[in-house]
Amino acid sequence: MAKSSTIQAVIFDWAGTIVDFGSFAPTSIFVEAFKQGFDFHISLEEAREPMGLGKWDHIQAVGQLPSVETRWNEQFGRDMNSEDIDAIYAAFMPLQKAKVADHAAPILNAIEVVNNLKSQGVKIGSCSGYPRQVMDVLVPVAADYGYHPDCVVATDDLPQGGRPAPFMALKNVIDLGVTNVASCIKVDDAAPGIDEGHNAGMWTVGLLLSGNEAGLTFEEYQQADEATLVAARNKAKQKLGKSKPHYLIDTIADLPNVIEQIEARILRGERP
């Protein structure tokens, strides 16, 4: 019997954290949605820039990137407006639902780490920038791979809006019956998700190499030499570091060591 933990819950993001190494499902679809909706090209790098926001807000944020704004004005003679965002979002949704299952494979060691936490009595929460209709496709496919979180909150489940506000994380707290947010950990690969954890009063862990900021495929990660990994880490640190996560690790495989450190800090009376 595994020891019980001083941590009550760990709340995981989905793409780039538990599933979809490199967070390719949403980014590639953003590129396609802009193309399909307006015959307008954005790069994968531009699509990645605001990752972690709800998808409508993400499209709006991409449109406000100086590089995109300039090209949009050149092509259409005006700024992007909310009707444009609605149209791109309408193109995004069916594309995302069709493709998300293709990127549902768990990231290395994710299932083992999660199941080990469960064996210690830790509840497993989850939240996502994906809306509910996308989560309804992703959740059963992830379950087939062996991922069974105790709670799933989608970005449009709550009227108050998504990250970096704390509402999705706090909805997990309520649904899981957690009695102290300071005994919770938020794990995410994007800055808005780390900010969400801070705003909810939780410990925060950022992922450097499995997620959006490094943008590596799993094959690229496996084949990378140390110089490539250092460069990818530094690139991700530059973005995630601004959100001041309590810990930065490469992938979820490194989480157990961090969990032990946080458990020790909680026992010493420390709070996030």
Side-chain angles (χ1 to χ4, degrees):
M1 177 79 182
K3 68 180 180 69
S4 64
S5 176
T6 53
I7 291 159
Q8 290 191 40
V10 180
I11 298 162
F12 292 101
D13 176 50
W14 281 76
T17 298
I18 291 284
V19 302
D20 186 10
F21 197 103
S23 198
F24 281 91
T27 47
S28 59
I29 299 302
F30 279 121
V31 173
E32 184 59 32
F34 271 82
K35 187 177 170 187
Q36 195 178 100
F38 285 90
D39 195 25
F40 183 84
H41 176 73
I42 63 169
S43 68
L44 261 183
E45 198 165 73
E46 287 167 336
R48 287 186 182 283
E49 183 62 30
M51 190 59 70
L53 300 175
K55 301 315 176 199
W56 196 96
D57 293 332
H58 185 123
I59 293 165
Q60 181 182 50
V62 169
Q64 291 168 346
L65 294 172
S67 59
V68 175
E69 191 173 43
T70 298
R71 297 199 311 277
W72 187 275
N73 270 276
E74 285 169 358
Q75 190 165 329
F76 301 110
R78 58 175 177 78
D79 288 341
M80 185 186 291
N81 59 38
S82 59
E83 288 78 18
D84 300 329
I85 299 166
D86 287 342
I88 296 165
Y89 186 80
F92 170 87
M93 286 304 301
L95 288 167
Q96 189 69 86
K97 285 163 72 176
K99 290 287 183 185
V100 72
D102 297 340
H103 297 270
I107 287 168
L108 70 165
N109 300 114
I111 304 302
E112 295 91 328
V113 169
V114 165
N115 288 344
N116 184 52
L117 286 168
K118 284 185 172 184
S119 75
Q120 297 175 59
V122 178
K123 292 171 179 174
I124 305 300
S126 72
C127 50
S128 177
Y130 284 138
R132 175 54 62 179
Q133 54 183 302
V134 174
M135 293 309 295
D136 285 345
V137 177
L138 177 56
V139 169
V141 182
D144 288 342
Y145 281 110
Y147 182 51
H148 302 278
D150 300 309
C151 181
V152 177
V153 181
T155 194
D156 59 348
D157 284 349
L158 300 163
Q160 300 98 325
R163 303 160 176 161
F167 303 116
M168 287 198 292
L170 295 176
K171 170 82 167 140
N172 274 274
V173 165
I174 293 164
D175 290 356
L176 294 170
V178 169
T179 57
N180 185 355
V181 291
S183 66
C184 297
I185 304 170
K186 177 71 204 300
V187 184
D188 209 295
D189 68 305
I194 294 166
D195 293 336
E196 170 194 27
H198 284 310
N199 289 334
M202 300 176 178
W203 301 93
T204 56
V205 180
L207 302 176
L208 293 170
L209 294 184
S210 66
N212 179 67
E213 300 309 335
L216 300 171
T217 67
F218 184 53
E219 292 71 27
E220 287 169 340
Y221 168 75
Q222 285 183 305
Q223 294 163 15
D225 59 20
E226 190 51 39
T228 303
L229 293 180
V230 167
R233 274 190 205 101
N234 288 339
K235 181 185 169 194
K237 264 180 196 168
Q238 201 170 9
K239 188 79 176 280
L240 297 182
K242 292 173 185 171
S243 294
K244 297 184 169 56
H246 294 96
Y247 297 89
L248 282 168
I249 57 178
D250 284 353
T251 74
I252 192 174
D254 306 311
L255 188 62
N257 180 46
V258 165
I259 297 273
E260 288 183 11
Q261 293 179 55
I262 294 173
E263 285 174 332
R265 292 176 72 174
I266 290 171
L267 285 171
R268 290 198 297 270
E270 293 185 43
R271 295 177 66 85

